[in-house]
């Protein structure tokens, strides 16, 4: 009786791991499809239709036919990421403290800011606590 319970639990856990690996493989294939810029939209749609209706066979065919390309795209992705992130940081970063102070001074000259507000902005731009 105890071995039947153990066998059932073992079988359930084994099937759970296999199903999880299968889902991971399908998700990885879909991500690779959308990551590939050389593949056209119609070809991507056909792969997705086959993945929905004949998933196991299509996944095996995809891995055999496009497996080396998957590795190349996965390897190229981290190499491109720092370039994009550095470029993004440069595009959204704030100006230098001198530029911030100059802008605040122009606002004071226009009468938009008070001298107290200017001092607070200047301290903030210089990283001082106010």
């Amino acid at each position: 009786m105890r071995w039947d319970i153990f066998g059932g639990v073992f079988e359930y856990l084994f099937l759970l791991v296999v199903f999880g690996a299968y889902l991971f493989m399908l998700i990885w294939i879909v991500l690779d499809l959308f990551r590939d810029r050389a593949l056209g939209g119609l070809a991507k749609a056909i792969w997705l239709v086959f993945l929905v209706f004949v998933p196991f066979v299509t996944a095996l065919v995809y891995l055999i036919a496009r497996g080396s390309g998957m590795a190349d795209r996965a390897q190229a992705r981290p190499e491109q990421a720092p370039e994009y992130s550095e470029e993004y940081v440069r595009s959204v970063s704030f100006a230098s403290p001198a530029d911030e102070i100059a802008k605040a001074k122009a606002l004071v000259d226009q009468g938009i800011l008070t001298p107290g507000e200017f001092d607070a902005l200047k301290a903030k731009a210089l990283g001082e606590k106010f």
Side-chain angles (χ1 to χ4, degrees):
M1 180 79 175
R2 289 183 183 165
W3 291 107
D4 290 338
I5 293 172
F6 177 74
V9 169
F10 181 74
E11 179 183 359
Y12 174 74
L13 290 175
F14 177 75
L15 290 175
L16 188 66
V17 168
V18 168
F19 183 70
Y22 178 68
L23 282 178
F24 180 76
M25 180 180 63
L26 286 179
I27 291 170
W28 191 262
I29 288 173
V30 170
L31 289 173
D32 183 65
L33 272 173
F34 287 106
R35 190 179 293 149
D36 188 6
R37 294 179 186 263
L39 195 62
L42 180 63
K44 290 178 185 182
I46 291 171
W47 276 111
L48 286 175
V49 166
F50 277 102
L51 273 172
V52 169
F53 291 112
V54 193
F56 188 73
V57 173
T58 305
L60 288 177
V61 169
Y62 187 88
L63 291 175
I64 292 168
R66 300 179 48 85
S68 63
M70 287 177 74
D72 294 340
R73 286 184 291 280
Q75 186 178 12
R77 183 80 174 160
E79 293 171 359
Q80 295 171 352
E83 295 172 9
Y84 291 131
S85 64
E86 289 172 11
E87 182 178 314
Y88 176 74
V89 168
R90 275 190 232 110
S91 70
V92 297
S93 65
F94 295 106
S96 69
D99 292 338
E100 293 294 324
I101 294 170
K103 288 178 188 176
K105 180 64 175 156
L107 292 174
V108 169
D109 294 341
Q110 294 174 2
I112 297 173
L113 291 179
T114 65
E117 292 171 328
F118 170 74
D119 291 336
L121 286 174
K122 180 179 170 183
K124 185 177 179 183
L126 295 173
E128 300 172 359
K129 291 188 178 186
F130 51 95

